[in-house]
Amino acid sequence: MAEGEFLIPPLRPGAHLAVIAPAGPPKPGRLEPVEGRLRERGYAATLLPSCFGHQQGLGPLDFLAAPDHVRVADVHEAFAHPRYDAVLALRGGSGCIRLLDGLDLDWLAASRRLLIGYSDLTVLHALRTRAGIPSLHAPMPASDWGLPGADADTDALFERLASGWRAGDVVGRAEPHALSQGGRARGRLIGGNLAMFCALLGTPYLPDVDGALLFVEDISEEPYRVDRMLSQLRLSGVLDRIAGLLVGSFSGAESPDAVLADHLPRLRCPVLAGWPAGHGQPNRPLPLGVMAELDVAAGTLTLG
């Protein structure tokens, strides 16, 4: 792709975002400000029914934002209706993986609308990647916007949405890190939340890992669970097939650095650690499903 060509076009002022809740419900007080915050940034928004599904009560499945059929319908509506310009996930949590075999993949592949979110949204990002469509690992309104210390991440998201992402863009920089190793690697950027990526192993929804750059991050996963997931990636052959590994933050639990230091030197590919994305802060927007070059010495990721 020629340098300077848009990989993700700008989201112009006045663009209309469909807000969906394909995973967990919002915490009290986190839903009401969403439309106003988007208006402040110059965008229109429609909150689809899944955002309000928790108000009806789901009994033992109250970890879901709404029943499966409501969340499936909202995903279809968000990507199919011509009024929408982009799709924004309200928050992560759990539940996206329950939707995969209920989604019309051909229908979704016909829409190049940008999906914005992270965490449990990793499995929906995988669908976009499999369809050859970029998506965006980025802060979500009910998880991040307005929280102490999160303004810089939210500002970075909206600044980049307004400008778009072009081939040749350097999308961030990692500080020197003890877990980084190797030189350069080029491939399609895939991944997201480590636990959710591992949950796709053995299903038909895993994106192509051959020659890819795999990004991983996670929250509230103790070192023994990170060890188990990395072992699963190794035993499944994923870690032998990727061209490079991009390591984001692991927060909310004891640091897994000792486990990572045990696993990562075995890899035959470059590793760039300390990338400023994940459940912690900073959580800078990161395009997925696009070609990129990882440069360990420079600590950079360049698109295209």
Side-chain angles (χ1 to χ4, degrees), residues 184-235:
R184 295 185 179 185
R186 175 175 166 77
R188 191 167 305 280
L189 189 58
I190 66 172
N193 180 259
L194 175 60
M196 295 314 303
F197 189 83
C198 285
L200 292 175
L201 293 171
T203 75
Y205 307 104
L206 185 75
D208 185 6
V209 302
D210 289 320
L213 301 180
L214 175 61
F215 167 65
V216 295
E217 60 81 33
D218 221 316
I219 184 171
S220 300
E221 297 287 2
E222 295 296 336
Y224 76 91
R225 293 202 290 264
V226 175
D227 177 69
R228 183 178 63 220
M229 290 184 280
L230 291 174
S231 296
Q232 185 180 9
L233 290 179
R234 176 177 59 83
L235 293 170

Side-chain angles (χ1 to χ4, degrees), residues 99-162:
L99 309 182
L100 297 186
D101 58 351
L103 294 172
D104 187 322
L105 302 187
D106 291 335
W107 197 358
L108 296 185
S111 170
R112 298 199 64 84
R113 213 159 282 171
L114 182 65
L115 172 66
I116 306 165
Y118 73 108
S119 188
D120 202 58
L121 275 292
T122 296
V123 300
L124 298 186
H125 287 308
L127 298 185
R128 306 305 279 162
T129 298
R130 284 177 57 86
I133 302 168
S135 60
L136 192 61
H137 181 286
M140 299 175 289
S143 300
D144 308 277
W145 301 3
L147 295 183
D151 286 350
D153 293 330
T154 307
D155 289 344
L157 167 61
F158 283 102
E159 287 168 7
R160 291 311 307 260
L161 286 175

Side-chain angles (χ1 to χ4, degrees), residues 42-61:
Y43 298 119
T46 296
L47 275 60
L48 296 188
S50 57
C51 296
F52 306 96
H54 64 287
Q55 296 174 355
Q56 302 170 15
L58 291 167
L61 297 181

Side-chain angles (χ1 to χ4, degrees), residues 80 98 154 182 293:
R98 292 170 58 97
T154 307
E293 181 175 271

